[in-house]
Structures are given as C-alpha cells and as structure tokens.
Amino acid sequence: MKTIKIGLLGLGNIGTGSYKTLEMNRDEIEKSSGLDLRITKILEKDTKRKRDVTVSPEQFTQTPSEIFNDPEIKIVIELLGGIEPAATYMEEAMKHGKSVVTANKASVAANFDRLTKAAKENNVMFRYEASVGGGIPILNAITTVLKANKYEEVLGILNGTTNYILTQMTDYGLEYDDVLKIAQEKGFAEADPTADVEGIDCANKLSILMALTFGNYVPPTEIPREGISGITKQNIKNAKAKGCKIKLISSAKKVGDHIEYSVKPMELPDSHPLASVSNEFNAIFIKGNAVGELMFYGKGAGPLPTGSAIMGDVLEIAKIYGAHE
Amino acid sequence: MKTIKIGLLGLGNIGTGSYKTLEMNRDEIEKSSGLDLRITKILEKDTKRKRDVTVSPEQFTQTPSEIFNDPEIKIVIELLGGIEPAATYMEEAMKHGKSVVTANKASVAANFDRLTKAAKENNVMFRYEASVGGGIPILNAITTVLKANKYEEVLGILNGTTNYILTQMTDYGLEYDDVLKIAQEKGFAEADPTADVEGIDCANKLSILMALTFGNYVPPTEIPREGISGITKQNIKNAKAKGCKIKLISSAKKVGDHIEYSVKPMELPDSHPLASVSNEFNAIFIKGNAVGELMFYGKGAGPLPTGSAIMGDVLEIAKIYGAHE
C-alpha cells in the first residue's frame, strides 16, 4: 500500500477532530482508496494538552519550515485559524510543492486571489471544503458535479453560533445577552463573540461561496453586513406574531448582469425550509438554471463534522497523488 | 480548445434535457473546463419529433455500433431506459474504451456488479449520479468527499411521483385513484405507474445507495418493499390526527454488523425534516460517524435537473480526459 505523508499546522479542537477522523476511519479510508494516510509532523506549541488521539512526542515540531522542507510530506493541513500567519504558511507550503487543505474561512476569504494563484503557479491542489458549512459538502458540489449549471442564487444559514442564539431566543423567549452568556458557558460561542454575532464569519463564507458560484470574488470587508447583537426579545415576538422566524441570512443573487449580496437578519415565514434549521445546524440553498433549487443541510461546525470535510479533501488529493506517482 | 466527443443513446425527454443543458450552458462549461464538449452521434429512431434543441439530421444513427466503433467518441451517455438492451450497450461501449454516464437506475441496480466490473476491466469511468435523486448531487458526495466517514444510515424520499400523489392526497383530502388520474394527466405519473407506486423505482435507487455507502450490493428484487397503492384517504386522515404525514421512505441502516433495509410508507411527525418535502421534490438523509446527519434536497426528476446531473458527470470525466490526453 502506498503511504501519503501529511503535515498538520495546529492541533487544537479542529486539528484534533481531523486527526481523530483519520484514526477512527483508517480501515474504511484504506479500503476505499488503497492508501495509507499518515500525519507525520504537527506544528503545535501545546504538546502537553490531553487530547483524545494518539500522538507521539516526535511528531510535534515548533518550526514550520521543518514541515515545508520535508520532501516526504505531500499535503499540508492548515488549522491555525486567523488570517496570518496562516496565509503565509499556506503559500509557503505551496511554494514547496505541497497541496494544501484548510478550514480557515477568514484566511481564505481575505486572501482568495493570492492563495488560488499560488496553487496554480506551483501546480498543487488547494481545497477548503471545511471553510463553508463545516461538514456539509457544498464547495465540492458547486465546483464539480453542478458545474454544468449557471448559478442564479446562493443563500443560507452559515453560522452555527448565531443560529443557536436566535433559536434559543425564539424557543424560550429570552433576551440576546442572556442567551449569549449561556452559549458561551456551553462552548457554542467564543469569549469574544464579535466575529460570529456581527456577521463577519458569515461574510467570510459568503465571499468564498460567491467566488466559486459566480466567479466573482468580493473581499469580505466589502460585503454589507448586519449582525444579530441588536435583535431583541421584542423583535422575535413581533416576527412570531406574523408567523415568521428571524434568521441570520447570507445571500447572493444574480440580478441582470450584476450580483446583489448581503449578510443580515431576516424574517422568514415558518413554512420556509430555512425557518426549521435550528440551533447549531447550517443549511445552504443553491439555485442553478438546470438543476433548479437544491438545499444542503448539516452540522456547520464541531471537531468531527469539520474533520470529515478536512479528511475528505485530503483523501481527494491523496487519491490523485496515489494514482500518478 | 480541446474537443471531447460524446455519443448519446436516446433523445427522449431526459436525452433532450441533457442536450439542452449542454447547449444553454456551453459558455460556462467551456470557461470552467477549457473544453469543448460535443454530442456528435445520437442513437434515436424518432428523428422527426419536434424538440427544443438544435440537432442536425446527420447526428442521428439507428446503429449502436456506429457509436461504439467511432474512435473519436470518448464518452457515451445512455438514456434509453429499461434494463436491456441498456446494460448490454453500456458494457459494449466500455469494451470499446468509452466511459459511460447514465440516469438508468433500473439497469444500474439490476447490473451493478457487471457494469462496475466492466468499467474496471476496461479502465474507463462509469458514473450514474442522475440515477438517484435526479439533480441532487448525492452519489458524488458519498463516493468522494464524505469517504472519510463510516456510514451508519441512509434514508430518503427517492420517488417524485409517489411523493406528489401522497402530498396531493394530504393537502386536498383525495383518494389515491383520483390523484393518480390527475398525476397522469399532468405528466407526473406514467400510463403504467407500477414501477413508481409499488416502490420498484425506490428499490432500484436504494440498491445503488446501499452499494455505494455500505459497499453492500443487494439486488433490488431482494429489497422488501411496499408501495402506496393501498394507502387510503382514511390512512392519511388518521396520520394527520396524530400530527403525522405519510411518506414513502427508502431506508438502510447499520444494526450491529448487518444492514436493515426496506421501502415502505411510514408516518413521520410533522416536525421531521422529511415531512415537509412536498410534491415532486426528493430528499436524502445520510448519517456518517464523523459528519453526523446531512440532508440533501432538490428536484428528483425532470429533464433539466436530470440533465444537470448527466452533464455534471460528463464534465467530470471530460476534465480527466482533457488533462491527460
């Protein structure tokens, strides 16, 4: 069996989830691909943290170049989070002939042209399925088997934290601040929730979706956005009285020859399929001129759903290396 | 630009929809793939029928071998319907070194081992996305980017005709026979509706789904099935009183080390995501041990949604030929 060696940047929650997905499904992955995938080096400072995976001390490194300069490593998984140094590390890995897989929407959205160009110039693959919709395989669908369509619209609930907060406000009649506190205690919201609640995370994801559906990259900072921190118990109550639910909707639509796009809270009638997408779930609508309306629904975050998307991308790249080397 | 020539078996509704998908999105397909896809030969007796596409008389042939023996044709699309001669034609095309794309669930399900073996032996590609869920890109997802999962369950509404009939019976309180007649008049049901209403079509699709998710091929004739022709207005009313809807559900689930599977009408609570899948729409749930629950929703039939899946498969194959020849 051929071995494909992988370098991993970051062994936090998502890194651990990806590592675990590979470990627990190794037999299935080997059976379907005929390949032995091995994460041989991991860039991570915190080598002592107790994790639910088996990592030996010699896998850890504090030096990114040890991964970039390792000629045996074919694929680099970037799970550091944040725009930099992630983008520079991804570019560096590509320059060293390695294909890159990431879940990092902030870094991909901010550097879309730079990173896709680097992949092309260095003749490597660059995949980021996990960056939009977590485990939902939406990016692969819109870039491959749906490509015989002209896309007309893409619209969705792209952030699990805000959807959790809005669902809890709706179900229990609570105020925003009270639900945010609960969400933070349960680990559904971060200590600084700004990126989620102000729609920044959604804008990153919408920027990536627009680049792939319409071939039209708009930097996330240029996407009009409104978050949910201004939504009150009373707003939710008023919507309810009209038979509606408030959802944070990211949308882009072809109107004539330009594209209208925004991230903002919207009132959706209860009968709308997105109205029943609750708590941490995500859902994405796509409209194509041949296929009509499609919806994809699933867990938009979490170590294992994200790990599924990361390892799915790795597997697709590894199969190509396995077939050609 | 490289040209990839294609042979088409059958220019009925789905054949015309596939041809039209290629025509109307030719610019988009060329831009994304850098390839010029051309349907050069069409096996079809009815050359006179008025169709919504531009076909010149010299594209038609009555002789399948003219397509199989044409060294310029790289891909054959089979849209004849029926188990035979479709399977023999697909096998013949593969023996002549052509990759095959089909929407024919009956023929694929009845000949799964034979056709996948023929593809392997002749080193060609064999794709059948359109055979399950019409335009919904479910087969590509479960065979590629979700492959880092162990599948636990697959469950869905896989037949648009029966879902249309059950939806109309529910919404208007009508009897089965009356709705069937309306569905036939509107073209949603065939003159002989047996394959749809008795669950045969669903069993074909479930057979394919099981082969791809669990690696466990069960011939459709061995899948326990119950159709909807015995469902009465009263059954629907009783379900409604319990807050439920009756849906024709195809399901397969891992229980210990074996798989339980069936096609049968089931009462689903109104809150179940599949309960709100109405009329001709299809939806498929997949549960994987990493990704958790995913749902895919869209049009399960119709010339253009099916054409989207057919041409998506063709495009994936063409891209590989384009890159390597």
Side-chain angles (χ1 to χ4, degrees), chain B residues 195-206:
Chain B
D196 290 320
V197 301
E198 299 306 343
I200 298 167
D201 178 72
C202 284
N204 287 334
K205 292 165 176 169
L206 186 61

PDB file of all heavy atoms in Angstrom, chain B residues 195-206:
ATOM      1  N   ALA B 195     -44.105   0.804 -11.590  1.00  0.00           N
ATOM      2  CA  ALA B 195     -42.727   0.914 -11.081  1.00  0.00           C
ATOM      3  C   ALA B 195     -42.621   1.982  -9.994  1.00  0.00           C
ATOM      4  O   ALA B 195     -41.887   1.821  -9.015  1.00  0.00           O
ATOM      5  CB  ALA B 195     -41.760   1.234 -12.218  1.00  0.00           C
ATOM      6  N   ASP B 196     -43.370   3.069 -10.148  1.00  0.00           N
ATOM      7  CA  ASP B 196     -43.349   4.120  -9.135  1.00  0.00           C
ATOM      8  C   ASP B 196     -44.175   3.742  -7.907  1.00  0.00           C
ATOM      9  O   ASP B 196     -43.651   3.695  -6.793  1.00  0.00           O
ATOM     10  CB  ASP B 196     -43.884   5.437  -9.729  1.00  0.00           C
ATOM     11  CG  ASP B 196     -42.914   6.035 -10.741  1.00  0.00           C
ATOM     12  OD1 ASP B 196     -41.697   5.985 -10.496  1.00  0.00           O
ATOM     13  OD2 ASP B 196     -43.381   6.561 -11.768  1.00  0.00           O
ATOM     14  N   VAL B 197     -45.466   3.455  -8.123  1.00  0.00           N
ATOM     15  CA  VAL B 197     -46.370   3.343  -6.967  1.00  0.00           C
ATOM     16  C   VAL B 197     -46.144   2.071  -6.159  1.00  0.00           C
ATOM     17  O   VAL B 197     -46.517   2.009  -4.986  1.00  0.00           O
ATOM     18  CB  VAL B 197     -47.858   3.471  -7.383  1.00  0.00           C
ATOM     19  CG1 VAL B 197     -48.099   4.816  -8.059  1.00  0.00           C
ATOM     20  CG2 VAL B 197     -48.303   2.315  -8.256  1.00  0.00           C
ATOM     21  N   GLU B 198     -45.534   1.060  -6.752  1.00  0.00           N
ATOM     22  CA  GLU B 198     -45.260  -0.162  -5.981  1.00  0.00           C
ATOM     23  C   GLU B 198     -43.849  -0.172  -5.375  1.00  0.00           C
ATOM     24  O   GLU B 198     -43.399  -1.183  -4.840  1.00  0.00           O
ATOM     25  CB  GLU B 198     -45.484  -1.413  -6.844  1.00  0.00           C
ATOM     26  CG  GLU B 198     -46.911  -1.567  -7.374  1.00  0.00           C
ATOM     27  CD  GLU B 198     -47.988  -1.525  -6.266  1.00  0.00           C
ATOM     28  OE1 GLU B 198     -47.644  -1.699  -5.079  1.00  0.00           O
ATOM     29  OE2 GLU B 198     -49.154  -1.272  -6.608  1.00  0.00           O
ATOM     30  N   GLY B 199     -43.148   0.948  -5.490  1.00  0.00           N
ATOM     31  CA  GLY B 199     -41.853   1.062  -4.806  1.00  0.00           C
ATOM     32  C   GLY B 199     -40.691   0.416  -5.549  1.00  0.00           C
ATOM     33  O   GLY B 199     -39.585   0.311  -5.001  1.00  0.00           O
ATOM     34  N   ILE B 200     -40.911  -0.008  -6.793  1.00  0.00           N
ATOM     35  CA  ILE B 200     -39.836  -0.670  -7.560  1.00  0.00           C
ATOM     36  C   ILE B 200     -38.720   0.325  -7.886  1.00  0.00           C
ATOM     37  O   ILE B 200     -37.527   0.039  -7.732  1.00  0.00           O
ATOM     38  CB  ILE B 200     -40.407  -1.305  -8.850  1.00  0.00           C
ATOM     39  CG1 ILE B 200     -41.435  -2.386  -8.479  1.00  0.00           C
ATOM     40  CG2 ILE B 200     -39.294  -1.885  -9.725  1.00  0.00           C
ATOM     41  CD1 ILE B 200     -42.296  -2.870  -9.643  1.00  0.00           C
ATOM     42  N   ASP B 201     -39.124   1.523  -8.319  1.00  0.00           N
ATOM     43  CA  ASP B 201     -38.153   2.578  -8.613  1.00  0.00           C
ATOM     44  C   ASP B 201     -37.331   2.920  -7.358  1.00  0.00           C
ATOM     45  O   ASP B 201     -36.113   3.078  -7.425  1.00  0.00           O
ATOM     46  CB  ASP B 201     -38.908   3.813  -9.133  1.00  0.00           C
ATOM     47  CG  ASP B 201     -37.983   4.978  -9.422  1.00  0.00           C
ATOM     48  OD1 ASP B 201     -37.233   4.907 -10.415  1.00  0.00           O
ATOM     49  OD2 ASP B 201     -38.007   5.967  -8.660  1.00  0.00           O
ATOM     50  N   CYS B 202     -38.007   3.017  -6.215  1.00  0.00           N
ATOM     51  CA  CYS B 202     -37.304   3.295  -4.946  1.00  0.00           C
ATOM     52  C   CYS B 202     -36.315   2.181  -4.616  1.00  0.00           C
ATOM     53  O   CYS B 202     -35.201   2.450  -4.155  1.00  0.00           O
ATOM     54  CB  CYS B 202     -38.293   3.427  -3.796  1.00  0.00           C
ATOM     55  SG  CYS B 202     -39.176   4.993  -3.780  1.00  0.00           S
ATOM     56  N   ALA B 203     -36.728   0.917  -4.833  1.00  0.00           N
ATOM     57  CA  ALA B 203     -35.838  -0.214  -4.529  1.00  0.00           C
ATOM     58  C   ALA B 203     -34.589  -0.159  -5.406  1.00  0.00           C
ATOM     59  O   ALA B 203     -33.477  -0.450  -4.942  1.00  0.00           O
ATOM     60  CB  ALA B 203     -36.578  -1.532  -4.717  1.00  0.00           C
ATOM     61  N   ASN B 204     -34.755   0.232  -6.677  1.00  0.00           N
ATOM     62  CA  ASN B 204     -33.589   0.394  -7.556  1.00  0.00           C
ATOM     63  C   ASN B 204     -32.616   1.423  -6.979  1.00  0.00           C
ATOM     64  O   ASN B 204     -31.403   1.201  -6.923  1.00  0.00           O
ATOM     65  CB  ASN B 204     -34.039   0.848  -8.951  1.00  0.00           C
ATOM     66  CG  ASN B 204     -34.717  -0.268  -9.733  1.00  0.00           C
ATOM     67  OD1 ASN B 204     -34.464  -1.452  -9.496  1.00  0.00           O
ATOM     68  ND2 ASN B 204     -35.596   0.100 -10.658  1.00  0.00           N
ATOM     69  N   LYS B 205     -33.175   2.559  -6.564  1.00  0.00           N
ATOM     70  CA  LYS B 205     -32.321   3.636  -6.055  1.00  0.00           C
ATOM     71  C   LYS B 205     -31.674   3.246  -4.726  1.00  0.00           C
ATOM     72  O   LYS B 205     -30.497   3.543  -4.486  1.00  0.00           O
ATOM     73  CB  LYS B 205     -33.138   4.917  -5.921  1.00  0.00           C
ATOM     74  CG  LYS B 205     -33.556   5.484  -7.282  1.00  0.00           C
ATOM     75  CD  LYS B 205     -34.663   6.525  -7.158  1.00  0.00           C
ATOM     76  CE  LYS B 205     -34.989   7.141  -8.511  1.00  0.00           C
ATOM     77  NZ  LYS B 205     -36.227   7.969  -8.463  1.00  0.00           N
ATOM     78  N   LEU B 206     -32.437   2.584  -3.868  1.00  0.00           N
ATOM     79  CA  LEU B 206     -31.881   2.165  -2.582  1.00  0.00           C
ATOM     80  C   LEU B 206     -30.773   1.135  -2.785  1.00  0.00           C
ATOM     81  O   LEU B 206     -29.759   1.145  -2.070  1.00  0.00           O
ATOM     82  CB  LEU B 206     -32.991   1.599  -1.684  1.00  0.00           C
ATOM     83  CG  LEU B 206     -32.562   1.255  -0.250  1.00  0.00           C
ATOM     84  CD1 LEU B 206     -32.068   2.484   0.504  1.00  0.00           C
ATOM     85  CD2 LEU B 206     -33.727   0.608   0.522  1.00  0.00           C
TER      86      LEU B 206
END
